[in-house]
Amino acid sequence: MNAQPRRVENVATDRGVIPQYATGIVEQPWGDYSAQDHAVWAALFERQRALLPSRACAAFLRAQRALGFDAATIPRFDALNRTLRAATGWELVGVEGLLPEAVFFDHLAHRRFPVTWWIRRAEQLDYIAEPDLFHDLFGHVPLLCDPVFADYMQAYGQGGLRAQRQFGAEALLNLTRLYWYPGEFGLIREPDGLRIYGAGIVSSKGESIYCLESPAPNRIGFDLERVMRTRYRIDSYQKTYFVIDGFEQLFAATQQDFAPIYPRLTSAAAIGAGAVLDSDAVLQRGTRAGWPEGADT
Ligand code: PHE
Ligand code: CO
C-alpha cells in the first residue's frame, strides 16, 4: 500500500487524450478529501437520486438503499465493505486510476472491485472521460450486492484471465464489448417498462434520461455473440442499448464455455455501433438524430 495515493488522470495532448494507468491498491485517504470534494459528491448524488427512482432497475435501487449512501459526505470504503462482504463476499479496493486489463481481471476474479479513490472536479459534473469515485461507487458497487450480478462479475474476471492466457487480443476485445454494453450501458425489461442497470448510465445525468426517452438510439434484445461483435462509442451517448429480460439471462448466456465462440467471432465481421441487423430482436429502431460522425471504437 502506498502512503500518499496519486491522482492518475488522462493526459490531454494536441493529439487527443492519452489514458494513464496505475496498478497498486491504496488506502482511501478519507480525511484528506476537501470540502469541495464532498460538495461534488453531494451535487452528483442529489441529482441522480432525483432522477433514478422511476428509471433504475429495482435491484439497483434496493442495493443502493442497503449501502446507505447519503449526500452529506463521500462514503467510506471500510464501512461499505462491511455491508458488501456480508451481502455477497465482495470488497472494494482503492485504486489511483485506470488499471491494466490483467490487473483488473485479477481483482474481479477474486471478488475485489477497484474503486478510484479521487472524485472529479466541479467543472466535470456532467462529463469525465475516465472513471472516478462517483462513477465507480455510485454506478458499479450497488449491483455487487445482488447475488446473481455478483457472481457474474467474478466469472467475467475469471473469463478475462483465461482469454488473456489462451485466446489473445481479439478475444479481449470481444470481452471488452461484453463489459461495455451490459456492464456500463445495460437496460433491463421490468414489468413497468425499461429500466437502467448499467453503471455508465446510472452515474450520468444526461444519459439516464437519453437512454430511456430519446427516439434516437436503437434498443435491441441482448444476444451474446451479437454484443461481442459490436463496436461502441466512448465519446458520446451510445447509438445502441442492449436490453436483457433479467440478470439470469445474462448469467446463463455467459456461463457457457467461450472457447468455441472466440474463433467464430474472429471470422465474423465487427458490427457498427448503430447498425441494425435482420436477425436483431428490435425493441426500437433509432431515428439516428444527433448521432456523431466518425469512427466507432
Ligand atoms: N464463460 C466465459 C468463458 O468461458 C467467461 C465469462 C463469464 C465471460 C461471465 C463473461 C461473463 O470464458
Ligand atoms: Co465503469
Side-chain angles (χ1 to χ4, degrees):
M1 295 238 177
N2 313 14
Q4 204 77 76
R6 295 168 305 153
R7 182 179 178 119
V8 176
E9 295 173 83
N10 287 350
V11 172
T13 71
D14 48 8
R15 292 192 185 165
V17 173
I18 304 177
Q20 304 292 310
Y21 295 89
T23 51
I25 65 175
V26 298
E27 201 85 60
Q28 182 188 28
W30 197 86
D32 295 343
Y33 290 130
S34 65
Q36 165 86 337
D37 291 332
H38 290 296
V40 166
W41 166 267
L44 291 164
F45 182 83
E46 293 285 19
R47 221 159 70 160
Q48 291 315 96
R49 182 161 62 177
L51 277 171
L52 293 180
S54 56
R55 294 187 172 88
C57 73
F60 179 88
L61 295 169
R62 201 182 318 118
Q64 214 174 36
R65 279 193 297 275
L67 285 170
F69 288 163
D70 74 72
T73 56
I74 292 173
R76 308 179 82 114
F77 295 175
D78 50 6
L80 295 173
N81 275 340
R82 283 191 287 276
T83 310
L84 205 51
R85 280 196 202 101
T88 54
W90 274 77
E91 65 176 334
L92 312 180
V93 291
V95 295
E96 299 175 305
L98 275 181
L99 301 178
E101 259 164 354
V103 179
F104 181 61
F105 291 143
D106 189 64
H107 282 311
L108 298 185
H110 293 92
R111 289 173 104 83
R112 293 188 301 261
F113 195 82
V115 173
T116 308
W117 72 264
W118 53 268
I119 195 159
R120 68 191 73 179
R121 304 169 206 286
E123 61 274 18
Q124 296 170 308
L125 279 199
D126 292 327
Y127 184 75
I128 177 169
E130 69 257 55
D132 73 329
L133 178 141
F134 184 74
H135 168 78
D136 289 338
L137 215 50
F138 187 94
H140 286 285
V141 171
L143 282 176
L144 296 174
C145 297
D146 181 280
V148 177
F149 199 84
D151 287 348
Y152 168 76
M153 287 298 282
Q154 179 178 26
Y156 180 88
Q158 291 165 336
L161 290 176
R162 185 176 74 133
Q164 216 156 25
R165 275 195 303 268
Q166 294 176 25
F167 299 101
E170 186 80 14
L172 284 178
L173 183 59
N174 298 139
L175 271 185
T176 302
R177 292 175 183 146
L178 193 54
Y179 191 80
W180 192 261
Y181 277 113
E184 299 286 2
F185 296 98
L187 297 181
I188 184 166
R189 208 171 351 201
E190 292 198 330
D192 293 334
L194 290 189
R195 293 289 184 271
I196 305 162
Y197 71 92
I201 312 178
V202 290
S203 58
S204 157
K205 177 187 179 215
E207 197 151 7
S208 48
I209 298 170
Y210 178 90
C211 73
L212 294 176
E213 289 162 33
S214 170
N218 302 314
R219 299 182 187 85
I220 294 176
F222 176 84
D223 176 272
L224 182 76
E225 293 185 37
R226 161 62 157 108
V227 169
M228 292 175 84
R229 285 172 57 197
T230 308
R231 299 185 203 276
Y232 52 85
R233 304 295 310 185
I234 54 171
D235 55 350
S236 68
Y237 297 150
Q238 299 306 303
K239 294 178 176 176
T240 299
Y241 297 93
F242 290 98
V243 181
I244 58 172
D245 289 317
F247 293 128
E248 294 76 10
Q249 179 193 12
L250 188 59
F251 199 41
T254 51
Q255 236 172 359
Q256 63 182 304
D257 184 358
F258 285 11
I261 295 182
Y262 291 130
R264 200 152 65 221
L265 295 174
T266 304
S267 56
I271 301 168
V276 178
L277 311 182
D278 289 341
S279 50
D280 284 338
V282 179
L283 283 83
Q284 136 121 21
R285 184 182 289 262
T287 62
R288 317 169 77 94
W291 279 9
E293 300 297 324
D296 304 327
T297 299

